[in-house]
Amino acid sequence: MRFVEQLPHETEVEDHVTIPMADGVRLSARIWRPVLPDGEPVPAVVEYIPYRKNDLTSTRDAIHHPYIAGHGYACVRVDLRGTGESEGVLLDEYLEQEQRDAEEVLAWVAAQPWCDGNTGMMGISWGAFAALQTAARRPPSLKAIVIASFTDNRYADDMHYLGGAMLSDNLAEAGTMFAYATCPPDPEVVGERWRDMWRERLEAARPWVLEWLRHPHRDAYWQHASLSEDYAQLQCPVLASSGWADGYSNAVTRLLAGVDVPRKGLIGPWSHKLPHLGEPGPAIGYLQEVVKWWDHWLKGVDNGVMEGPMLRTWMQESVPPSTSYEERPGRWVAEPSWPSPQIKEVVHPLRGATIVTADEEEALPRGRTRTVQSPLSVGQFAGKWASYNAPPDLPYDQREEDGGSLVFETEPLAERVEILGSPSVDLEVSASAPVAQVTARISDVAPDGRATRVTYGVLNLTHRESDEHPEPLEPGRRYRARITLNGVAQAFPPGHRVRLSLSTSYWPLVWPAPEPALLTVHEDGAALTLPVRPTEEPDGMPQASFGEPEGCRPPPVTRLTEPEQAWNVSRSLVDYHSALDIVKDRGRQRYEDNGIEVGLRACERYTSVADDFASLSGRSAWTMTFSRPGWDVRVETSTVLTSSADTFTVDATLDGYEDGRRVFSRTWNETVPRNLA
């Protein structure tokens, strides 16, 4: 990244500004503003998240907020109620209270003498959720949004349930927020009342995973704040982005197709990162794009921002399997609209172990069946639902996974094939149990046999007709089902094969069904549909269309202890115990602009024994420390999830320490019915 030292305007910053809410709670904000003659008012851009502006996001914030402010905007970075130095408590994600607070924040900002009354919202992940959800409520000052790594469907396209099957990130994300929602405010900012504020957070805390487990179907809990319920709610322009290695890439194209507002989409090769910090690379000059967007929609500058294609995306070239990449080779391609008239849905019947063409199908026998009942080991090399690229968390070589799967593949390709969009698999299946899963994976198989996963999809077969009203299977009965895989842009070179793999488990990325199930796949009607982008189509955009990544230089941070990253798969051939252990330890760091020292260590562990579905266990444990001379606090959390055929069980602990002495402790032990999950 190139750090910009000179911007159109000098900026000034207020580190702690309180914004009053109607119920008396005050939210904490940091505000960057351009220095203009006579205090000329400017549009304002708000980022609204729970991740602690005073320390944990301060480095990232300092890269882009001063940059945008230096181009003539007031940037307002707000900590949600109950986080950072904001008062109150945070009880769950995306509650009605959170969105009401956001509306009040925008109204307050628009009324300040330094704001001209026009506002925008931006952010990644929670910040993007907040922007989209707030925009759907149509606050009068909000004129446009910029969102990255978001979803419009909280049930089916977030960290919770995929195709009606529960993701293990349901546990991991709950563990993350169990820690973040119980951290103390900074005494240097809020004064001596910091203990009372911290105590209030600790007393109100609960493992959010309990609430998420109580809603295994797409009910009103998930429908709230999901734009997909009514796309017409969004009435302001949106610039939407994500990455193919992220868990949120589907939302970009779905939003482009669903809303009727000025919109642009951008999908790179990135993990869960902002595009100017994108990993795997190439990162792009995203902040230049953002400023151009704000200039048009908040200042009325006629800069042609809506010219050109609706969607720009990175067409990924074939690569060997790896759990991380510094760069993904490829090129930018563009589509004038979405759905694109250039994309052709090509149907490939599945016959025997082969993916064939529609013409070849006629000469092949019909009526055959194949069966699969996967071991729990299938999925140990699946990587994370949403890659963060630290520790390395992308899927590894799929050959071992394929050993426990039903595999279909093409003959070696005679010519290059490019796909752009969401593949799908149509099946006619019967199962031996009332609840069963099927995971479909597409891999790029090189001539030497190495298999790189390209995309995947999951379906809890009880959700084959509806996420709102799932129905158990009648063992032995044949059902039609469609599995929609995650969208992707991928090139398959000549000589490579396209492989489709079907498995009945994908643990620990997906929490398995209540019991093992034998799945019978009936060939008649079984097909893989690929969204093919003809290679003779023009790319639609110049390859130098994005500038170099740039931003402002963040304040110094001193590393006090070394970080640790681990992703270890282990198996015992004595007692058949298997485990996946993940460690993400940022090490201890001192933020030199305010002197606060912070440590963060997160550990996940997923275990099972042989193919015993009653042995499954997941654990998310966090330790977060905050200190400076005269102040030393620590929060420790642990959430353990286990299951039986009928229930989930959550065992959780929360401990708070001051000066090494435990000052708070609470435990939970609760069960939740599985209800077809």
Side-chain angles (χ1 to χ4, degrees):
M1 170 174 286
R2 182 172 70 89
F3 291 123
V4 179
E5 307 296 343
Q6 295 292 326
L7 293 166
H9 303 285
E10 293 184 8
T11 60
E12 57 187 5
V13 59
E14 293 180 85
D15 285 326
H16 177 59
V17 176
T18 59
I19 302 175
M21 300 292 100
D23 62 358
V25 166
R26 303 183 73 85
L27 305 187
S28 179
R30 175 172 287 147
I31 303 176
W32 295 261
R33 297 200 306 270
V35 178
L36 297 174
D38 303 321
E40 177 185 344
V42 295
V45 176
V46 174
E47 184 181 20
Y48 177 65
I49 53 176
Y51 301 128
R52 300 180 62 88
K53 63 177 174 55
N54 214 38
D55 37 61
L56 295 181
T57 69
S58 62
T59 296
R60 187 206 67 180
D61 295 346
I63 291 173
H64 60 256
H65 283 306
Y67 181 92
I68 296 170
H71 285 85
Y73 297 89
C75 285
V76 185
R77 164 67 175 85
V78 184
D79 278 336
L80 264 62
R81 177 186 294 248
T83 66
E85 282 63 58
S86 291
E87 298 171 351
V89 294
L90 182 63
L91 299 176
D92 199 351
E93 58 183 16
Y94 320 130
L95 297 177
E96 173 69 16
Q97 180 68 63
E98 177 185 327
Q99 284 125 42
R100 289 202 305 266
D101 285 352
E103 291 182 280
E104 291 189 48
V105 166
L106 289 176
W108 181 89
V109 169
Q112 298 309 298
W114 39 260
C115 180
D116 67 4
N118 295 303
T119 65
M121 289 187 76
M122 67 175 291
I124 181 174
S125 198
W126 196 310
F129 279 59
L132 187 61
Q133 292 164 5
T134 304
R137 300 166 76 97
R138 306 184 195 176
S141 73
L142 187 62
K143 300 300 191 294
I145 58 175
V146 174
I147 52 178
S149 300
F150 65 96
T151 191
D152 57 338
N153 185 330
R154 293 183 52 220
Y155 176 79
D157 201 28
D158 195 5
M159 296 181 173
H160 306 294
Y161 295 90
L162 180 62
M166 190 182 77
L167 296 162
S168 61
D169 269 18
N170 203 48
L171 167 65
E173 175 66 5
T176 300
M177 295 314 302
F178 198 19
Y180 271 87
T182 52
C183 291
D186 186 347
E188 282 204 357
V189 176
V190 302
E192 283 303 311
R193 63 194 182 105
W194 75 270
R195 284 191 186 87
D196 293 335
M197 293 174 65
W198 186 30
R199 186 79 187 190
E200 182 184 18
R201 296 176 187 183
L202 294 168
E203 293 282 1
R206 58 181 178 174
W208 294 3
V209 69
L210 284 166
E211 189 69 14
W212 300 344
L213 290 170
R214 293 185 183 112
H215 298 277
H217 310 153
R218 193 169 187 269
D219 57 15
Y221 176 83
W222 302 111
Q223 290 165 354
H224 169 72
S226 287
L227 183 69
S228 59
E229 291 297 303
D230 181 7
Y231 285 112
Q233 292 176 327
L234 186 67
Q235 292 293 303
C236 72
V238 55
L239 173 60
S241 65
S242 190
W244 293 127
D246 196 359
Y248 293 108
S249 58
N250 297 316
V252 174
T253 51
R254 198 168 52 243
L255 190 70
L256 295 180
V259 301
D260 186 20
V261 297
R263 58 205 185 275
K264 291 282 187 175
L266 173 64
I267 309 176
W270 316 300
S271 58
H272 198 66
K273 305 279 187 180
L274 284 163
H276 59 297
L277 306 172
E279 297 174 338
I284 64 167
Y286 176 66
L287 292 182
Q288 298 95 301
E289 300 284 316
V290 170
V291 167
K292 188 176 180 181
W293 186 261
W294 295 137
D295 282 349
H296 182 75
W297 294 112
L298 297 187
K299 292 183 177 178
V301 177
D302 185 10
N303 57 13
V305 73
M306 293 307 299
E307 296 174 2
M310 179 181 288
L311 174 66
R312 294 173 288 179
T313 186
W314 188 251
M315 178 62 68
Q316 301 177 125
E317 293 293 333
S318 175
V319 290
S322 176
T323 55
S324 70
Y325 303 94
E326 288 188 11
E327 297 271 337
R328 279 298 303 261
R331 73 187 195 283
W332 290 105
V333 300
E335 300 298 334
S337 60
W338 195 267
S340 171
Q342 299 179 152
I343 307 301
K344 310 299 181 186
E345 299 288 333
V346 180
V347 178
H348 293 273
L350 307 177
R351 292 292 179 265
T354 307
I355 301 171
V356 301
T357 66
D359 292 339
E360 294 170 325
E361 179 189 19
E362 296 300 322
L364 297 173
R366 304 181 66 85
R368 295 180 299 184
T369 62
R370 297 178 70 195
T371 60
V372 60
Q373 182 173 309
S374 303
L376 285 175
S377 58
V378 174
Q380 288 188 319
F381 300 144
K384 266 285 192 185
W385 172 79
S387 171
Y388 291 83
N389 215 46
D393 56 7
L394 293 172
Y396 193 49
D397 196 324
Q398 297 292 286
R399 282 178 288 185
E400 188 167 345
E401 311 277 56
D402 289 340
S405 305
L406 200 59
V407 173
F408 307 83
E409 66 181 23
T410 65
E411 294 296 324
L413 298 174
E415 57 186 23
R416 178 184 179 91
V417 173
E418 295 183 357
I419 62 174
L420 173 55
S422 295
S424 62
V425 178
D426 288 289
L427 297 175
E428 187 166 317
V429 296
S430 54
S432 64
V435 181
Q437 297 175 358
V438 58
T439 296
R441 295 173 279 119
I442 294 177
S443 297
D444 169 21
V445 182
D448 64 5
R450 288 183 292 181
T452 302
R453 197 188 76 193
V454 169
T455 183
Y456 75 102
V458 182
L459 179 62
N460 175 344
L461 287 166
T462 68
H463 288 244
R464 63 197 176 275
E465 299 290 344
S466 169
D467 286 331
E468 289 82 5
H469 306 289
E471 295 180 350
L473 304 168
E474 180 183 328
R477 179 181 171 184
R478 290 166 67 160
Y479 296 94
R480 295 290 302 168
R482 169 169 287 186
I483 309 160
T484 301
L485 283 66
N486 291 326
V488 71
Q490 179 68 43
F492 297 86
H496 285 223
R497 299 173 185 258
V498 178
R499 176 178 294 170
L500 171 66
S501 308
L502 304 178
S503 61
T504 57
S505 66
Y506 207 39
W507 164 255
L509 191 149
V510 179
W511 201 276
E515 59 181 313
L518 179 71
L519 193 70
T520 300
V521 177
H522 303 264
E523 278 191 3
D524 292 347
L528 168 66
T529 300
L530 295 176
V532 175
R533 187 179 193 272
T535 54
E536 64 271 14
E537 290 290 344
D539 291 343
M541 59 185 292
Q543 292 307 295
S545 58
F546 294 112
E548 177 186 0
E550 62 181 33
C552 288
R553 188 182 303 276
V557 176
T558 300
R559 185 171 299 285
L560 305 175
T561 63
E562 289 302 309
E564 179 187 356
Q565 297 179 1
W567 188 290
N568 296 320
V569 174
S570 60
R571 299 177 188 167
S572 168
L573 296 184
V574 176
D575 62 5
Y576 306 109
H577 181 276
S578 297
L580 168 63
D581 288 285
I582 304 169
V583 176
K584 184 176 182 178
D585 188 333
R586 288 175 46 166
R588 195 170 179 86
Q589 303 178 97
R590 182 171 58 246
Y591 296 87
E592 298 297 352
D593 58 338
N594 59 20
I596 193 169
E597 296 182 5
V598 177
L600 183 156
R601 181 178 177 86
C603 300
E604 295 174 48
R605 181 173 174 82
Y606 303 95
T607 63
S608 59
V609 178
D611 289 328
D612 180 3
F613 278 49
S615 68
L616 302 169
S617 176
R619 179 174 186 256
S620 173
W622 282 69
T623 300
M624 301 182 77
T625 61
F626 303 88
S627 66
R628 61 162 58 89
W631 180 58
D632 184 13
V633 294
R634 182 170 85 251
V635 172
E636 294 183 355
T637 67
S638 172
T639 310
V640 177
L641 178 63
T642 56
S643 64
S644 68
D646 302 315
T647 61
F648 290 109
T649 299
V650 174
D651 289 285
T653 61
L654 167 63
D655 293 289
Y657 296 83
E658 183 180 356
D659 297 329
R661 180 176 61 91
R662 187 164 61 185
V663 296
F664 183 90
S665 183
R666 179 165 293 174
T667 63
W668 291 260
N669 175 261
E670 299 186 32
T671 61
V672 180
R674 291 195 67 150
N675 198 7
L676 301 182

